[in-house]
Amino acid sequence: MKVVVAVDDSDGSRHALAWVLDHLLVAEQEPEPEPERQPPPELVVVHAHEPLRHIVMYPVGPGSAVYGAPSMMEAVRAAQAESARGLLDRAKRICQRRGVAAEAVAVEGEPREALCRAAADMGAGLLVLGSRGLGAIKRAFLGSVSDYCAHHATCPIMVVKPPAATS
Amino acid sequence: MAAAEAAAAGGGGGGSSSSGKPVMVVGIDDSDHSYYALEWTLQHFFTPGGAQQYHLVVLTAKPPASSVIGIAGVGSAELLPTVEADLKRTVVRVIDKAKKLCAEIEMLHDDPAADDLDLLRRRSAQVADVSYETIEGDARNVICEAVDRHHAEILVVGCHGYSYWKRAVLGSVSDYCTHHAHCTVMIVKRPKHKH
C-alpha cells in the first residue's frame, strides 16, 4: 500500500510524518518476509506549493503598486523551488534515519487540490495529513487543508492530531 | 446492554488494552460504508502471518429511540417501543456482521507469482484480539468518549460521502470525530471510480 504523507513547514506535518514512521511502518522489522505476505507499505512524502503568477508589491510609503519584473518573479520562483527541495530533503532524511526509504514529490497548485490530485494520480492507498488543530471558527475563515482533503480525496485519509498540550 | 457496560468498564485504564497493545477503535453503523471501512482496516492493519499490532475495538452506537422519533406529532409515544425494538435489532445485526468480517479477513493482494485468482482470495485470517461494544447514545459522543476511555491510538470511521448541504442538515459523524477525537483519525472511503 502506498502511503502518501503531506509535508509543509509546519510542526503539525512534522509530527504527522514522525507518527507514520513510528506507528505505521513498524512492520519493516519482520526478519523473513513470507512470499504471501502483503509487501510493506511504501512511503511517499509530498509537498504542495502554490505557483506564482504575478507579484504585486506595495512599497511601504505612499505610492502606487510596483508590478514585479519577470526577473524578480524568476528569482522568487527559484527560491520557492529551493525551499520545496530543502523541505523534501529534510523529510527524506527523517525517514532514512528510521530505516525507511521514502520517495519525495513536489506538486504545484493550491495545496488542498494539489494534494488530492497527487494522491489520486499516485494511486495512494492512504493520504496522511497533519492538523493545525484550528478551532471551528478559524477553520471557517482560514480554511483547512485537512478538512478539504477529508471530503475530496478519493482514498482513505488519516489526520494526525498535534500532541495534546498538557492542560 | 449490561454486557456492553461490563466490557466498557473492564476495558479502561492505562494507555493500552490488557494485552499491552495500542488500541484501534473502529466506529461502525449499519451502512455499506462502515462495513467497507472495517474490511479495509482488517485487510491493511490485521494482515495474516504477522503479529497483530493493535487491539481492535469495534464500536457501534445505538441512538435513543426518542431522538429518532424526534419532535413527532401525536401518537409518538406509541411508536417508541417499536422503534426501540428495531434499533436493538439493528445493533445486534451490526455486531454480528462485524464478528463475521473479523472471523474471515479475505486477503486480496497482488502477488505477481500467483496465477490462480482463487489462490489470491482464499487466504483468510482471523483477528484474535478484538472486542465489540454497543453503547447507547448519539454516535458522535459515543465514539469520542470511547476513544478517551480506551486511550485509543487510532480511530477509524467510514464516510457517508454526503455533499456539503447534506452534511450541514444531517450532520456528519466522521466530520465531528475528525475534529473532536483526541487521537489520529482515519476516514476510510470507497475509492471513487473515474468515469
Side-chain angles (χ1 to χ4, degrees), chain B residues 77-169:
Chain B
E78 296 156 4
L79 280 176
L80 233 103
T82 323
V83 173
E84 181 75 28
D86 190 51
L87 288 172
K88 282 211 173 96
R89 266 197 303 271
T90 307
V91 294
V92 168
R93 187 172 62 232
V94 169
I95 294 291
D96 278 345
K97 185 140 184 194
K99 285 186 178 155
K100 230 188 314 183
L101 286 172
C102 290
E104 324 161 339
I105 313 168
E106 268 198 12
M107 278 311 304
L108 307 171
H109 55 277
D110 9 74
D111 184 3
D115 311 311
D116 193 352
L117 189 65
D118 281 337
L119 204 61
L120 273 180
R121 285 179 191 270
R122 233 184 292 125
R123 271 233 38 178
S124 68
Q126 225 188 45
V127 184
D129 194 5
V130 55
S131 52
Y132 304 89
E133 288 183 12
T134 302
I135 303 185
E136 173 140 356
D138 181 74
R140 291 164 248 234
N141 299 322
V142 163
I143 292 179
C144 292
E145 190 265 336
V147 162
D148 285 337
R149 196 170 12 98
H150 287 284
H151 301 282
E153 204 168 84
I154 307 185
L155 167 66
V156 184
V157 287
C159 169
H160 280 281
Y162 288 152
S163 67
Y164 180 76
W165 295 111
K166 246 181 161 175
R167 251 183 281 131
V169 174

Side-chain angles (χ1 to χ4, degrees), chain A residues 26 147 150-151 157 159 161, chain B residues 53 175 178-179 181 185 187 189:
Chain A
V26 283
D147 242 11
H151 296 132
I157 286 258
V159 177
K161 305 289 183 75
Chain B
Q53 230 185 309
D175 246 8
T178 309
H179 297 132
V185 180
I187 305 174
K189 25 172 108 184

Side-chain angles (χ1 to χ4, degrees), chain A residues 6-19 87 90 94 130:
Chain A
V7 293
D8 64 7
D9 205 17
S10 69
D11 281 339
S13 81
R14 267 194 288 276
H15 175 72
L17 182 60
W19 198 96
L87 221 126
R90 269 196 302 275
I94 295 177

Side-chain angles (χ1 to χ4, degrees), chain A residues 1 19 23-24 26 30 34-38 120-121 125-126 139 147 149-161, chain B residues 40 43-45 47 49 53-54 107 109 111 123 153-154 167 175 178-179 181 183-192 194:
Chain A
M1 164 169 78
W19 198 96
H23 294 105
L24 289 188
V26 283
E30 292 296 317
E34 299 158 42
E36 286 158 354
R37 277 204 61 196
Q38 263 195 351
D121 290 340
L126 183 65
R139 250 184 280 125
D147 242 11
C149 290
H151 296 132
H152 293 87
T154 54
C155 66
I157 286 258
M158 186 176 261
V159 177
V160 181
K161 305 289 183 75
Chain B
W40 189 95
Q43 282 169 357
H44 290 95
F45 287 87
T47 54
Q53 230 185 309
Y54 289 96
M107 278 311 304
H109 55 277
D111 184 3
R123 271 233 38 178
E153 204 168 84
I154 307 185
R167 251 183 281 131
D175 246 8
T178 309
H179 297 132
C183 68
T184 296
V185 180
M186 183 158 68
I187 305 174
V188 180
K189 25 172 108 184
R190 281 185 181 277
K192 290 207 182 104
K194 298 217 163 113

Side-chain angles (χ1 to χ4, degrees), chain B residues 15-92:
Chain B
S16 56
S17 62
S18 51
S19 54
K21 291 191 217 130
V23 177
M24 178 188 287
V25 174
V26 181
I28 58 175
D29 62 9
D30 192 26
S31 71
D32 282 338
H33 306 273
S34 284
Y35 298 130
Y36 176 81
L38 179 58
E39 260 181 308
W40 189 95
T41 306
L42 292 171
Q43 282 169 357
H44 290 95
F45 287 87
F46 296 90
T47 54
Q52 194 179 332
Q53 230 185 309
Y54 289 96
H55 169 75
L56 179 65
V57 175
V58 178
L59 170 70
T60 187
K62 176 188 157 304
S66 46
S67 73
V68 173
I69 299 179
I71 324 166
V74 207
S76 55
E78 296 156 4
L79 280 176
L80 233 103
T82 323
V83 173
E84 181 75 28
D86 190 51
L87 288 172
K88 282 211 173 96
R89 266 197 303 271
T90 307
V91 294
V92 168

Side-chain angles (χ1 to χ4, degrees), chain A residues 17-101:
Chain A
L17 182 60
W19 198 96
V20 167
L21 291 166
D22 283 338
H23 294 105
L24 289 188
L25 299 170
V26 283
E28 307 280 324
Q29 279 86 37
E30 292 296 317
E32 329 127 23
E34 299 158 42
E36 286 158 354
R37 277 204 61 196
Q38 263 195 351
E42 312 159 34
L43 184 62
V44 180
V45 286
V46 175
H47 174 66
H49 61 271
E50 264 187 274
L52 280 178
R53 281 189 201 95
H54 302 284
I55 309 177
V56 184
M57 300 192 313
Y58 294 90
V60 178
S64 54
V66 174
Y67 186 76
S71 54
M72 227 186 317
M73 282 169 60
E74 276 312 308
V76 182
R77 264 205 207 102
Q80 246 197 355
E82 186 59 45
S83 88
R85 255 198 309 274
L87 221 126
L88 288 171
D89 280 341
R90 269 196 302 275
K92 271 171 81 168
R93 249 177 292 134
I94 295 177
C95 300
Q96 270 159 13
R97 242 177 272 146
R98 318 262 188 136
V100 179

